[in-house]
Amino acid sequence: MSAGLQIFSLSIVHLAKRLYNTLMNDGVFRALADPTRRRILELLKVRPMAMGEIAEHFPSSQPTISRHLSVLKNAALVYDERQGQYIIYHLNATVMQSWLKWLLERWGGNDFE
């Protein structure tokens, strides 16, 4: 591979990573902007749950909770797993940790005052 092609390939990879990070972070910001979705993440931090179990904690209808879960899934903050007739939702702590790392690198530093 020529040096020019190598540089071009590296540039494409770098741009793809930046685009992925931007899209991922936008999705996480959007997902975390809603208090219901933040509460769902708190519930899933305790343990995985079925949608019906999650919905019991809110005055909203199950379709509304389902839409909130879709936003969280699109941001990769939760993932689901079919267990028999139920779909169990899990917190994806890895994405949350990556997002927090990204956030602190840009805005946090070591000074939390």
Side-chain angles (χ1 to χ4, degrees):
M1 184 182 298
S2 71
L5 188 55
Q6 260 185 327
I7 291 170
F8 178 74
S9 295
L10 290 174
S11 296
I12 295 295
V13 169
H14 179 72
L15 285 172
K17 284 181 182 178
R18 287 191 65 185
L19 178 61
Y20 168 78
N21 286 334
T22 299
L23 293 173
M24 186 214 43
N25 290 326
D26 286 350
V28 172
F29 274 112
R30 179 173 177 251
L32 294 178
D34 186 273
T36 299
R37 291 191 286 267
R38 292 192 303 268
R39 179 69 181 123
I40 290 170
L41 292 174
E42 290 172 1
L43 292 169
L44 294 177
K45 181 181 176 196
V46 175
R47 67 180 177 82
M49 298 176 146
M51 199 270 291
E53 293 176 284
I54 295 168
E56 289 174 0
H57 294 271
F58 300 95
S60 308
S61 67
Q62 284 196 4
T64 299
I65 298 303
S66 180
R67 284 191 294 276
H68 284 299
L69 286 165
S70 290
V71 172
L72 291 168
K73 279 177 53 178
N74 288 338
L77 291 169
V78 301
Y79 64 94
D80 60 10
E81 167 187 43
R82 181 165 289 280
Q83 291 183 4
Q85 65 180 3
Y86 297 101
I87 297 175
I88 307 299
Y89 291 89
H90 301 261
L91 177 66
N92 187 351
T94 304
V95 169
M96 184 64 83
Q97 291 166 350
S98 296
W99 180 76
L100 287 171
K101 180 179 181 264
W102 175 89
L103 191 66
L104 288 172
E105 286 171 352
R106 277 144 190 88
W107 308 104
N110 292 327
D111 125 51
F112 296 101
E113 296 178 30

